[in-house]
Amino acid sequence: MSQERIVRIERDILSKNDAYARVNRARLARTGTLALNFVSSPGSGKTTLLCRTIAELKHRMPIAVIEGDQQTSNDAERIRATGVKAVQVNTGRGCHLDAHMVLHALDDLPAEPGGLLFIENVGNLVCPSAFDLGEAHKVVVLSVTEGEDKPLKYPDMFAASDLMLLNKSDLLPHLDFDVAACMAAALRVNPRLQILTVSARTGEGLAALYAWIEARAAEARRLQPAPEPMT
Amino acid sequence: MSQERIVRIERDILSKNDAYARVNRARLARTGTLALNFVSSPGSGKTTLLCRTIAELKHRMPIAVIEGDQQTSNDAERIRATGVKAVQVNTGRGCHLDAHMVLHALDDLPAEPGGLLFIENVGNLVCPSAFDLGEAHKVVVLSVTEGEDKPLKYPDMFAASDLMLLNKSDLLPHLDFDVAACMAAALRVNPRLQILTVSARTGEGLAALYAWIEARAAEARRLQPAPEPMT
């Protein structure tokens, strides 16, 4: 295939994706739902972090989860064990969730007003950055067991995200990981990025993460349109 | 004085201040200068933090400082010892810098293109929040020796700031200060606030602070208008 043809196909795919993303965004807005798209390399600890967050927030607001993985429904089962509804999307050979997959997954989830929708993307620090799923924010999770230069090596993902969670901070005493250098790299790529250091194991930083989420969930509820009058 | 009259006077003061702030902002834009307005309680460590930051950034860009204090020029002298130009503004009975004071101080500073202007406000966690000086960003410095509930007690300052520096982190092992609770409080007041934990003594977090500053300085330079053609 010629280079021009590849570029044209990529553009077509992304413009179709964006059309579905707009549909998802409008649908989420109608129920005042805050959707967060969690992206990261495989093994960054996204599912563990989500399980703890759900356990601690589910009494404050309705929560549902869309789990993206190439294969298996292991992660959805871990999420369901917390007591909330989860839909597993298997992308097969696909390396990312797209907005059309999310549209169908939304059909299988309760549309409870004022809720929180977590989308756990396929573990991949590259491709998911290009796909808007209709979420309010991408949240990139980086484990301190990865290199501090990751934001410079994978800038698109850090540029596309609004919040970075530097996860597994409980391991810092055992590692040679320079937190400030990592933050500096991330801020060089995205000067507006918000950064929180967290540990799903010890709970470090989770109070701040919950405050970040709750402020945005309140905003999503506030912007929910009034229901149409009955006719 | 009647309550209405007090409110009207306050509104007049702020609208005059805002007019001067617009003049300052246009003047700073002409030289592509990034102006940062550092605000905090007294004793948060602003001057020490600025001295170290200046020592480490002055070889990368021109730096000048406006120092606000009710009395004395001690802080300006500390800043000058780093080798950059500093103008001391004594506010006398005034509890904050205003844009008119900054306008005059700018006359006494070199207008080097592409530079950085630090404005160190009077130590006061209340009044400076209402006064736009023409800066690009307010940076609120909070020391971990203060209470973690400060953002809830002084919400205006944290709402008006774009970056919070949680300073003196080297003292954390000796204190009963809950970092995540403090960050949560700050994010509740201002969900878009960026937060960095720093120590001017150990240097913790300063690489991230410098990256934050440098990204914005580069943006200010990029937005600098082309010089007018000579006639």
Side-chain angles (χ1 to χ4, degrees), chain A residues 9-98:
Chain A
I9 289 174
E10 282 182 354
R11 211 184 296 129
D12 282 358
I13 289 173
L14 284 175
S15 92
K16 270 184 200 150
N17 181 78
D18 287 351
Y20 284 117
R22 280 193 294 274
V23 172
N24 294 346
R25 189 163 280 122
R27 184 162 163 177
L28 293 161
R30 274 200 298 279
T31 50
T33 299
L34 173 71
L36 300 176
N37 179 2
F38 276 62
V39 291
S40 79
S41 303
S44 67
K46 284 193 303 301
T47 312
T48 304
L49 190 60
L50 283 180
C51 285
R52 180 154 181 173
T53 300
I54 290 165
E56 295 179 6
L57 287 186
K58 70 179 179 181
H59 304 296
R60 301 191 221 167
M61 60 187 98
I63 300 180
V65 180
I66 297 174
E67 274 295 326
D69 279 294
Q70 290 195 306
Q71 300 292 347
T72 85
S73 58
N74 298 350
D75 283 357
E77 283 157 28
R78 286 174 62 194
I79 296 287
R80 284 182 202 123
T82 67
V84 304
K85 185 93 196 262
V87 172
Q88 180 79 49
V89 178
N90 282 138
T91 58
R93 290 174 61 195
C95 54
H96 59 268
L97 289 174
D98 66 35

Side-chain angles (χ1 to χ4, degrees), chain A residues 184 187 191-194 207 211 215-216, chain B residues 184 191-194 207-208 211 215-216:
Chain A
L187 289 169
R192 279 163 195 79
L193 190 65
Q194 293 181 285
R216 283 164 180 75
Chain B
R192 279 162 195 80
L193 190 66
Q194 293 181 288
R216 284 165 179 74

Side-chain angles (χ1 to χ4, degrees), chain A residues 131-149:
Chain A
F131 288 81
D132 179 7
L133 305 180
E135 74 273 359
H137 305 281
K138 283 190 178 68
V139 176
V140 61
V141 181
L142 184 68
S143 156
V144 298
T145 56
E146 305 178 60
E148 56 252 334
D149 58 349

Side-chain angles (χ1 to χ4, degrees), chain B residues 1 31 38-39 58 62 75 77-78 86 108 116 123 129 142 144 154 157 172 176 181 183 192-193 211 214 223 225 230:
Chain B
M1 239 182 333
T31 51
F38 276 63
V39 290
K58 69 179 180 181
D75 283 357
E77 283 158 26
R78 287 173 63 193
D108 295 327
L116 182 57
S129 71
L142 184 68
V144 298
Y154 302 91
M157 190 63 96
L172 281 171
D176 203 26
M183 290 183 174
R192 279 162 195 80
L193 190 66
E214 289 189 300
L223 294 176
M230 305 269 275

Side-chain angles (χ1 to χ4, degrees), chain A residues 44 49 52-53 139-145 148 162-173 175 177-184 186-187 193-212, chain B residues 166 169 172 178-184 187 193-198 204-205 208:
Chain A
S44 67
L49 190 60
R52 180 154 181 173
T53 300
V139 176
V140 61
V141 181
L142 184 68
S143 156
V144 298
T145 56
E148 56 252 334
D162 295 310
L163 176 66
M164 167 169 132
L165 298 176
L166 201 52
N167 194 23
K168 306 192 189 178
S169 67
D170 53 290
L171 296 176
L172 281 171
L175 297 169
F177 182 91
D178 185 337
V179 170
C182 180
M183 290 182 174
L187 289 169
L193 190 65
Q194 293 181 285
I195 304 173
L196 295 174
T197 301
V198 298
S199 163
R201 185 185 287 172
T202 65
E204 185 194 343
L206 295 185
L209 171 61
Y210 302 159
W212 190 95
Chain B
L166 201 51
S169 67
L172 281 171
D178 184 336
V179 170
C182 180
M183 290 183 174
L187 288 169
L193 190 66
Q194 293 181 288
I195 305 172
L196 296 174
T197 302
V198 298
E204 185 194 342

